[in-house]
Amino acid sequence: MIPFSILDLAPVTEGSDATRSFRNSLDLARLGERLGYRRYWLAEHHNMPGIASAATAVLIGHIAGGTSTIRVGAGGIMLPNHSPLQVAEQFGTLAALYPGRIDLGLGRAPGTDQATARALRRYFEGADTFPDDVVELLGYFEPAAPGQPVRAVPGAGLEVPVWLLGSSLFGARLAAQLGLPYAFASHFAPDAMDQALAIYRRDFRPSTRLAAPYAILAANVVVADSDAEARRLFTTQQQAFVNLRRGRPGLIPPPLDDIEAFWTPAEKLGVEHALACAVVGGPATAGAGLRAFIERHRPDELLITANIFDHGARLRSFELAAAVRDAMANASPAAAG
């Protein structure tokens, strides 16, 4: 059975605040560690009232410090918002504090709207130089050479696995060219998923960092005790997408009993398309959905996210997803043999 991992957007729900969000994230990470999830990633977003992970490296340190074995990292850092040296120093610091546990995923998008991207200063200058910036960043993690004028302290010589993230073919090609592991954002942008995976695997060049291609796919996975309850919980994510497309991003809303009364037919079509990589249901339905997704797309790892309003229900969803994973592993031919 392939590994399962967690993508957390540090959601801030209506009636709550960032402090509660960070407490809940650590709670979820500890549960994920106990349940055998491989890694726990946080994503960089800015100017999003419902997402509290803007200072991603800081939050990664909080999560890593409160856990002991699970890998913790960025899924991802939007590199054009930062200088490569600063990112190397931040993640070198994290790797020195938590050896063998830190991942660095890199993305090319700003992670926000255009006005905020301008406020971040670097994005419009850095987006076109993303491949060069990735190479520069990788160099800072190499052992420092004698006389090297600029080095990452800490960072140089430390083991920091670097991933490329993407929702188009650009990242797949670059990850293959550089011999890096690749994660595709299929949880909100599934259109190019199959083609990107094919290009990445076909064109992959082995590197000192990775001998063979390794691809993660992301999916929305909401599991509850019944199909009806899971569908109800999923309306929180559906509402959040509609609100974003209406230009009114806000705090994460509670679920609705009747989502059809909330969106227009056109909004429903758009959201269902964007969230096509979703498995929503009770354990039996979720098991069938996860099995079909994995068998069709053959990822090396599955990164699951669940934007659920109630913290207890969110913990329960990841608990049930882990049980589904274990049942699938026990039922596999390899396990039977």
Side-chain angles (χ1 to χ4, degrees):
M1 187 58 202
I2 65 170
F4 279 23
S5 293
I6 296 172
L7 173 63
D8 180 18
L9 298 182
V12 184
T13 58
E14 292 183 8
S16 187
D17 56 23
T19 299
R20 176 68 61 85
S21 170
F22 298 148
R23 188 182 306 128
N24 290 346
S25 288
L26 181 55
D27 198 22
L28 177 58
R30 287 170 170 165
L31 176 69
E33 184 170 78
R34 292 195 300 271
L35 294 175
Y37 285 90
R38 173 165 291 186
R39 64 189 91 240
Y40 191 97
W41 280 4
L42 295 140
E44 177 186 348
H45 291 276
H46 300 278
N47 197 31
M48 301 284 286
I51 299 177
S53 52
T56 318
V58 177
L59 189 51
I60 288 169
H62 171 64
I63 299 298
T67 53
S68 58
T69 59
I70 194 169
R71 299 194 66 89
V72 187
I77 293 294
M78 301 299 106
L79 185 56
N81 294 338
H82 313 272
S83 75
L85 176 60
Q86 288 174 319
V87 175
E89 290 169 340
Q90 290 169 2
F91 280 79
T93 299
L94 288 167
L97 287 168
Y98 310 105
R101 295 183 55 211
I102 300 300
D103 295 329
L104 171 55
L106 301 173
R108 188 171 64 119
T112 187
D113 57 88
Q114 290 187 359
T116 309
R118 285 192 293 270
L120 289 166
R121 296 292 193 273
R122 281 185 45 86
Y123 179 74
F124 291 103
E125 299 173 0
D128 292 338
T129 63
F130 179 73
D132 294 334
D133 286 347
V134 172
V135 172
E136 180 183 345
L137 176 54
L138 292 173
Y140 288 129
F141 290 130
E142 296 297 323
Q148 181 175 324
V150 179
R151 64 182 67 185
V153 183
L158 293 180
E159 180 187 352
V160 182
V162 175
W163 298 69
L164 285 190
L165 316 180
S167 58
S168 67
L169 306 185
F170 179 91
R173 293 191 177 101
L174 185 60
Q177 176 187 340
L178 298 178
L180 296 176
Y182 179 57
F184 190 85
S186 35
H187 62 302
F188 71 87
D191 287 350
M193 174 176 57
D194 291 328
Q195 190 178 0
L197 277 180
I199 288 172
Y200 172 66
R201 288 167 172 161
R202 182 195 69 202
D203 297 343
F204 181 85
R205 301 177 185 174
S207 69
T208 56
R209 286 180 166 268
L210 191 65
Y214 191 96
I216 287 180
L217 292 181
N220 300 279
V221 178
V222 176
V223 193
D225 292 325
S226 69
D227 288 358
E229 178 59 14
R231 288 193 298 268
R232 179 178 175 275
L233 294 176
F234 190 52
T235 63
T236 287
Q237 177 72 335
Q238 292 169 322
Q239 291 176 79
F241 258 71
V242 170
N243 289 336
L244 182 62
R245 295 186 173 199
R246 288 175 179 174
R248 298 197 296 268
L251 300 178
I252 303 303
L256 295 174
D257 292 327
D258 182 13
I259 187 67
E260 301 300 331
F262 175 78
W263 54 19
T264 67
E267 288 172 336
K268 176 181 179 179
L269 187 64
V271 171
E272 289 183 343
H273 180 79
L275 302 181
C277 292
V279 173
V280 180
T285 299
L290 285 168
R291 189 177 301 108
F293 183 84
I294 292 167
E295 289 178 353
R296 177 180 175 186
H297 301 293
R298 300 291 179 182
D300 298 294
E301 189 172 327
L302 188 65
L303 184 66
I304 70 175
T305 186
N307 201 0
I308 295 173
F309 179 82
D310 179 76
H311 180 55
R314 189 169 181 236
L315 295 177
R316 177 65 172 160
S317 179
F318 280 99
E319 182 180 16
L320 290 171
V324 168
R325 174 204 62 197
D326 294 343
M328 291 166 62
N330 292 332
S332 70

